[in-house]
Amino acid sequence: MEWITTAMLVVFFALMIAIGVYCRRRSTDVGGFVLGGRSVGPWLTAFAYGTSYFSAVIFVGYAGQFGWNFGIASTWIGLGNAFIGSLLAWVVLGRRTRIMTQHLSSKTMPEFFGQRFDSPILKIVASCITFVFLIPYTASLYNGLSRLFEMAYDGLDYSVCVIVMAVLTGIYVLLGGYVATAINDFIQGLIMLGGIVAVIAAVLNANGGLMNAMEGLATGEGGGWEYTSFLGADPIFLLFVVLLTSLGTWGLPQMVGKFYAIKDESAIKKGTIISTVFAAIVAGGCYFLGGFGRLYGDRQSVKDAVAVGDFDAIIPEMLSTLSPVIIATVVVLVLSASMSTLSSLVLTSGSTITLDFIAPLREKKKPMGEKAKMLCIRLFIVLFIVVSAVIAISQYYDKNILIAQMMGVSWGALAGAFLAPFLYGLYWKKTTKASVVASFIFGVGLEIVQLLISLKIFDVSSVPVLSFVFKNSLYSGVFAMVGGLILVPIVSLLTQKTLPANVEEKFSCYARTATVEVTDSLGEEE
C-alpha cells in the first residue's frame, strides 16, 4: 500500500533535514565543512565509506546485470568489494593518507597531487578531471530509482523522484557539510543493512527457501547449472568486474577523502573492521540477491527488458510481488544508498572545484577568504546537483547515447587516472611529476577511446588485442588502472629530474615518534 511507503519516506526525509540543521555549527569554516575538522570517529567514517561505495547503481543495475550474467557467482563481486575495496583499502591507504594529507594540509585529492609534487598545474588538471567525470557518475545514481518508485507509486513521474532526491540531499549537505553527511550516512547505512537482509529473506521465502531457489535456478527456464557454480558462466568477465568495482575505489576522490577526516589510530583500526563487515553484508547481499534473477526469466517484462539489454528491470520484478512493507523498505533502502553516495559526490566535487581550481586562479589577484570559499563551495554543490539531475532526467526521456556511455566510462577514467599516482605518492619517494602526468593522460585517454568506440566512431573489432581491451568500459577501466600501476614507476625512474626537491620533508611525517600503550604495540622489557 502506498501510504506505508509514504509514511516511511516522510520520516526518513524529516530525519535527514533535522541532522543537517543540527550540524550547522560544525560547518562554519572550510575545514569543518569539507572534513569535519578531521575528528570523525570510526563508525561514522566506516559507514560514510560504505554508503558512498554502494548506491542504486549497485542494488538495481549491477546486481541485476551481473546476477543475470554470472548467477550466484556474482556474490564474488560483493566479497571483492568487501576485502579488496574495503579491508585492503583501509589497511594500505587509511593510515598513510590521514598522516600525509594532514602534513601537507591537503583537503582533497587534487590538492594532494599539487602539494605532494609541488605542482599547481597538477592540482588544477586533477580538479578538472574530477569535476568532468563525477557529473555523469552522479547522474547514473538516479537510474535505479525510477523503476522502484514506479513499482511503489503507480504512474509517478521519474522527474519527481529525481528532483525530490536532489533537493533533499542538497539541503542537508549545504547546511551541515561533511559531519551531516557522515551522520546521515550512518543512519542510511543501518537502513541498508537491515533492508538487504529483509529483502533476501523475503525473496528466498517466496521461492520456497534457499535450496528450492538454487534448484530452480539450475533447472528452470533461462537458467542452468553454470549459474549455481562456484565461478559462474563467465569467470574471466567476472574477474574484471571484481577488479574494477573493488580496486577502482582506491582511486576515487569521494572514497579516499573519507580517510582524510578520520580522528585517530584507534578509529582507523575499528573503521577497517566495521567497513569490511558492512561491505560484506550490503554488497555481498546485493549480488547474492541478483544471482537469483533468472528465476524470473520466464516473465514477459524481464524477457523484453533483457532482450534490449535493460537489466535494471530484473530486481524490481523480483520485488514486485512481495508485501507492501518489504516494498516500502526497498524503496527507502535504495533511496538511502543513492542519497548517501550523492551527498559524498557533490561535496567532493564542490570542494574540489573551489579549493583546487577557483581559489588558485584567484590567488594572483586577491586570495579568497574563508567566507568566500564557503560560499563558492555551496554554489558549486548546487550547480553540481542541478546539472546531474538535468542530465539524469534528459537521459531517461531522450535516451542520449553519449550520456549513457559517459556514465559507463566515468569510474574507469577516475580510477585509471588517480589510483597509481596516489598510491605511489603515499609510499614511494621517487615518484615524479612526469609519471603523474603520464597516468592522467593514460587513464583518461584510454577511457575517451572507449567512449569513442562505444559511440561507434572507432572500430577495433578487426584487432584482437584492442577488441579485448575495449570490449566494454569494465575491461578498459581495469586496463587503465593496471596500466597506471605499471606506467608510474617506469616513467618515474626515467624522469628523476622532475622529482620534487623537498620530498624528504614531505615523507618526514611518517618518521615522527609517537608514544603508544602496550596494548597497541608490544615493547621490550627494560
Side-chain angles (χ1 to χ4, degrees), residues 55-70 74 77 140-148 241 245 286-287 290-291 309-316 334 338 474:
S55 66
V57 176
I58 298 281
F59 186 80
V60 178
Y62 280 7
Q65 177 183 353
F66 299 133
W68 185 270
N69 288 332
F70 308 128
S74 63
I77 305 171
S140 69
L141 297 179
Y142 301 101
N143 284 355
L145 294 174
S146 60
R147 294 184 185 275
L148 289 176
V241 175
T245 61
C286 285
Y287 288 111
D310 181 15
F311 295 98
D312 287 0
I314 297 174
I315 297 296
V334 176
S338 298
L474 289 167

Side-chain angles (χ1 to χ4, degrees), residues 208 414 456:
L414 289 165
K456 303 189 185 307

Side-chain angles (χ1 to χ4, degrees), residues 238-307:
L238 177 61
L239 175 63
F240 274 83
V241 175
V242 171
L243 287 176
L244 183 65
T245 61
S246 302
L247 190 61
T249 60
W250 294 31
L252 298 182
Q254 75 277 12
M255 300 296 295
V256 175
K258 301 298 183 291
F259 299 134
Y260 289 37
I262 198 163
K263 186 176 181 179
D264 52 30
E265 176 71 19
S266 175
I268 292 175
K269 292 179 180 178
K270 293 175 183 176
T272 302
I273 298 171
I274 297 166
S275 179
T276 304
V277 173
F278 179 89
I281 295 173
V282 173
C286 285
Y287 288 111
F288 178 73
L289 175 67
F292 293 99
R294 286 182 176 266
L295 291 175
Y296 301 81
D298 57 344
R299 300 190 181 187
Q300 193 59 46
S301 61
V302 173
K303 288 181 179 179
D304 294 342
V306 171

